[in-house]
Amino acid sequence: MEEGPYKFVRDGTGRVSRVIRIGTRKSQLARIQTDSVAAKLQELYPDVCLEIVAMSTIGDKILDTALSKIGEKSLFTKELENALERNEVDLVVHSLKDLPTSLPAGFTIGAVLRRENPHDAVVLHPKNAGKTLASLPKNSVVGTSSLRRAAQLKRRFPHLEFKDIRGNLNTRLKKLDDKEDFAAIILAAAGLKRMGWEDRISAVLQPEDCMYAVGQGALAVEVRAKDTDILEMVSVLHDPDTVLRCIAERAFLKRLEGGCSVPVAVHTYIKDSQLYLTGAVYSLDGSESLKETMQTSICSGGSCSEEVDERLQRVGVTATKIPADLQDGAERLGVDLADLLLTKGAKEILTVARQLNDAR
């Protein structure tokens, strides 16, 4: 039964429960990620009835073009947000790295879950078992649809060639294994781990070889900003350290006006109450780069102000249970680091990268 925008069900005892509809992409990985979030919510709210609604997005349908060439910022999110806007779903589970740093009006990220390993992984063709990127023969072809990965790895391994490879994880692994086109492909370690394919990881790339994408490895729950009950419900899923790291990363990217079509990379960690952010921009071929690190204090425990402004979004994230001053500090860190790179010529590097990519 439906009442206004909400849907309810009555069980055998006559008890009425609200149905919470969760939107997701149709891919196997998206379903696994969404199921993991649903399981956490069901555990926390056993009386709520959860229903999963799967749909295809532009990014799932256009498989013959590099992501950076399509030019649409919300490739994997638009259809899901449309369903959210039409009250067809109540929340949507995304990979945080797919969400633009500015969300459409009326939406917010109500939860950022504990981050899986954010690094990239090398998956070798079976015939290259035991090799590394460094030991692959000259002119070996490595598949990646990411300008960020290609720019960094061209710089680090100039003897290799890099070519686009599209499709979901299953498709890309099949393209690698069934043909001789690629010596290796680069994928996010988090996705491989969630799919149960950790045994395919030949190496995890460390920051000195390849820094990761903003938000990589973290899952985000997007909701309607005005749905305070749903916001409250999902807010318990927030992982404070992941939230602060990802606010800093997203603020950095937003200030640089980066996106899919430019090579921007980050690395963050928290140690001894300090949040460290390394950010970098690259030319498409990796020959030019700017890279800097900054840090900010994020005191924990009772010494911090506990006042939280529940209405404030930071780079699309609403975190009602995390002290506002910590979130402000993380956001400022991202902006300050971006400003530092901009003073050193980051805008020029990114403008040329964008123009060259558009012309490809």
Side-chain angles (χ1 to χ4, degrees):
M1 54 184 163
E2 307 222 0
E3 190 176 301
Y6 302 130
K7 185 177 173 186
F8 297 88
V9 291
R10 192 187 300 276
D11 66 15
T13 66
R15 189 180 62 181
V16 173
S17 300
R18 179 171 170 193
V19 179
I20 304 293
R21 297 153 303 174
I22 305 176
T24 177
R25 288 166 62 195
K26 282 183 175 170
S27 76
Q28 188 185 351
L29 177 60
R31 288 302 305 261
I32 286 170
Q33 293 179 164
T34 301
D35 289 347
S36 74
V37 174
K40 285 186 172 72
L41 285 172
Q42 198 69 79
E43 198 181 320
L44 290 161
Y45 306 102
D47 293 340
V48 166
C49 181
L50 299 174
E51 188 180 289
I52 292 175
V53 182
M55 59 196 84
S56 292
T57 66
I58 302 170
D60 296 312
K61 292 170 187 164
I62 305 176
L63 293 175
D64 56 353
T65 310
L67 295 182
S68 59
K69 292 286 289 170
I70 300 170
E72 166 64 63
K73 268 191 180 165
S74 47
L75 278 176
F76 296 111
T77 60
K78 202 170 194 172
E79 284 80 358
L80 297 166
E81 285 173 342
N82 289 346
L84 200 53
E85 190 169 26
R86 292 192 298 261
N87 281 312
E88 291 165 9
V89 296
D90 301 297
L91 54 104
V92 175
V93 177
H94 300 283
S95 292
L96 180 59
K97 72 172 181 178
D98 290 339
L99 278 170
T101 52
S102 297
L103 298 184
F107 300 116
T108 191
I109 296 165
V112 179
L113 285 79
R114 181 181 294 277
R115 195 174 211 167
E116 185 50 83
N117 181 343
H119 297 283
D120 289 317
V122 179
V123 179
L124 291 167
H125 189 287
K127 71 176 183 189
N128 292 316
K131 289 194 168 74
T132 63
L133 289 182
S135 67
L136 282 173
K138 187 172 169 59
N139 299 327
S140 293
V141 177
V142 177
T144 174
S145 54
S146 157
L147 297 179
R148 170 190 59 79
R149 290 172 182 150
Q152 293 180 84
L153 295 173
K154 280 174 189 170
R155 183 183 178 85
R156 188 79 178 77
F157 304 102
H159 68 295
L160 301 176
E161 282 187 36
F162 294 86
K163 290 198 174 153
D164 282 329
I165 184 167
R166 283 289 320 280
N168 58 36
L169 274 186
N170 314 52
T171 310
R172 280 185 262 180
L173 281 174
K174 195 169 166 47
K175 283 181 182 174
L176 172 70
D177 293 342
D178 291 358
K179 297 181 180 177
E180 300 279 320
D181 297 358
F182 298 101
I185 59 175
I186 312 296
L187 299 167
L192 288 163
K193 187 170 179 187
R194 290 183 183 125
M195 292 285 274
W197 294 340
E198 277 178 284
D199 59 335
R200 289 303 310 266
I201 296 176
S202 310
V204 173
L205 293 168
Q206 294 308 304
E208 52 273 19
D209 287 333
C210 189
M211 298 201 301
Y212 41 84
V214 166
Q216 187 161 313
L219 298 181
V221 180
E222 187 178 19
V223 301
R224 291 179 288 267
K226 65 177 190 296
D227 273 359
T228 49
D229 54 340
I230 299 277
L231 247 178
E232 179 63 28
M233 179 184 177
V234 302
S235 68
V236 295
L237 299 174
H238 268 310
D239 175 64
D241 281 7
T242 305
V243 170
L244 294 174
R245 287 171 64 190
C246 290
I247 283 177
E249 292 172 17
R250 284 170 66 80
F252 172 72
L253 183 65
K254 185 176 184 179
R255 187 67 155 201
L256 289 174
E257 296 174 8
C260 251
S261 58
V262 288
V264 174
V266 293
H267 171 54
T268 51
Y269 64 95
I270 291 172
K271 187 180 177 186
D272 301 331
S273 297
Q274 295 283 316
L275 169 59
Y276 295 84
L277 168 64
T278 301
V281 301
Y282 300 89
S283 58
L284 287 192
D285 65 0
S287 62
E288 284 187 272
S289 72
L290 288 168
K291 180 174 165 183
E292 294 289 347
T293 302
M294 291 177 83
Q295 70 195 76
T296 191
S297 170
I298 47 157
C299 57
S300 53
S303 57
C304 282
S305 140
E306 287 301 321
E307 233 178 276
V308 175
D309 178 352
E310 301 212 350
R311 287 279 154 249
L312 198 59
Q313 281 194 48
R314 292 167 184 83
V315 279
V317 180
T318 301
T320 59
K321 309 270 192 295
I322 298 170
D325 55 350
L326 300 196
Q327 294 185 63
D328 287 340
E331 186 174 29
R332 210 163 35 244
L333 176 65
V335 171
D336 288 349
L337 185 63
D339 283 344
L340 176 61
L341 291 189
L342 288 167
T343 62
K344 297 189 169 199
K347 195 156 197 73
E348 291 70 21
I349 291 175
L350 293 178
T351 300
V352 171
R354 197 174 275 118
Q355 287 167 347
L356 284 173
N357 183 57
D358 289 346
R360 283 200 305 171

